[in-house]
């Protein structure tokens, strides 16, 4: 598996706090290494880092990233998720060939600027209907990793023990 990072474009702190947090937590839960957000948002950084501190892993968050040079100069394959792109089933074999070391997955919030379509290595549709960046990211990461993303061990001091009913959580600090 390559190291996977997310680039989140168009985040509006007052409107998108919840959904951008979900993009970050979904990325983390499915094995990505970090997220870069184009808009500065310290509160978003704090809430994602708080999950990482409790539940583990080495997921990074950086906000206020100048996305144009970042995307253009990224050393690895970049995958822009868009409903207008090549269907995921047709694109995945080529993505697997190209994305050996590092991969950047780009997701938008509102309308995505045209440069993103031009500069990304791949423009991929998770189906070609409009839905959500969280859903698109989750399906893409799960299919790309062939289910392995969800088997990642996070080694946090808080651990959920799967059970058929109710909740079992171990907290090693207690
Ligand atoms: N209307 C916007 C546009 O034309 O770019 C898209 C808004 S959508 C709510 C936000 C993001 O969700 C998109 O930028 C894209 O990354 C992702 N998304 C939504 N539907 C998708 C699909 N079918 N396949 C891949 N990504 C999708």
């Amino acid at each position: 598996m390559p190291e996977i990072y997310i680039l989140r474009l168009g985040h509006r702190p007052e409107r998108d706090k919840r959904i951008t947090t979900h993009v970050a937590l979904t990325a983390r839960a499915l094995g990505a290494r970090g997220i870069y957000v184009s808009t500065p948002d310290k509160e978003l950084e704090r809430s994602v880092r708080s999950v990482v501190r409790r539940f583990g892993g080495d997921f990074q968050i950086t906000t206020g990233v100048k996305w144009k040079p970042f995307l253009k100069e990224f050393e690895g394959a970049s995958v822009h998720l868009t409903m207008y792109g090549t269907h995921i089933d047709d694109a995945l074999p080529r993505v697997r060939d190209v994305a050996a070391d590092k991969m950047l997955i780009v997701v938008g919030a509102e309308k995505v600027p045209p440069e993103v379509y031009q500069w990304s290595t791949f423009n991929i549709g998770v189906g070609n209907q409009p839905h959500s960046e969280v859903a698109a990211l989750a399906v893409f990461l799960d299919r790309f990793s062939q289910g392995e993303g969800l088997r990642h061990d996070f080694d946090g001091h808080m651990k959920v023990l799967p059970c058929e009913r109710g909740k079992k959580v171990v907290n090693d600090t207690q």
Side-chain angles (χ1 to χ4, degrees), residues 8 10-21 44 109-110 133:
R8 165 67 157 164
H11 166 70
R12 296 153 294 185
E14 63 300 341
R15 288 184 56 171
D16 297 325
K17 179 183 175 341
R18 203 171 138 81
I19 195 145
T20 305
T21 304
L44 174 70
E110 44 184 1
E133 47 274 52

Side-chain angles (χ1 to χ4, degrees), residues 36-47:
Y36 297 89
V37 181
S38 56
T39 319
D41 189 338
K42 291 291 171 202
E43 201 187 321
L44 174 70
E45 291 184 7
R46 263 193 299 278
S47 72

Side-chain angles (χ1 to χ4, degrees), residues 8 80-84 106-112 117 124-133 136:
R8 165 67 157 164
H80 171 217
L81 297 180
T82 165
M83 62 184 276
Y84 305 105
V106 187
V107 292
E110 44 184 1
K111 197 168 184 293
V112 170
Y117 294 81
I124 294 180
V126 178
N128 296 105
Q129 298 295 319
H131 49 79
S132 134
E133 47 274 52

Side-chain angles (χ1 to χ4, degrees), residues 89-151:
D89 291 344
D90 301 323
L92 266 187
R94 247 170 27 89
V95 179
R96 287 209 179 89
D97 282 350
V98 173
D101 299 326
K102 271 182 158 192
M103 177 163 68
L104 182 68
I105 303 176
V106 187
V107 292
E110 44 184 1
K111 197 168 184 293
V112 170
E115 293 94 327
V116 179
Y117 294 81
Q118 289 150 19
W119 296 342
S120 297
T121 319
F122 301 97
N123 291 287
I124 294 180
V126 178
N128 296 105
Q129 298 295 319
H131 49 79
S132 134
E133 47 274 52
V134 180
L137 182 64
V139 171
F140 179 84
L141 286 174
D142 189 52
R143 290 211 186 169
F144 180 80
S145 71
Q146 298 176 295
E148 281 306 302
L150 284 177
R151 296 274 168 202

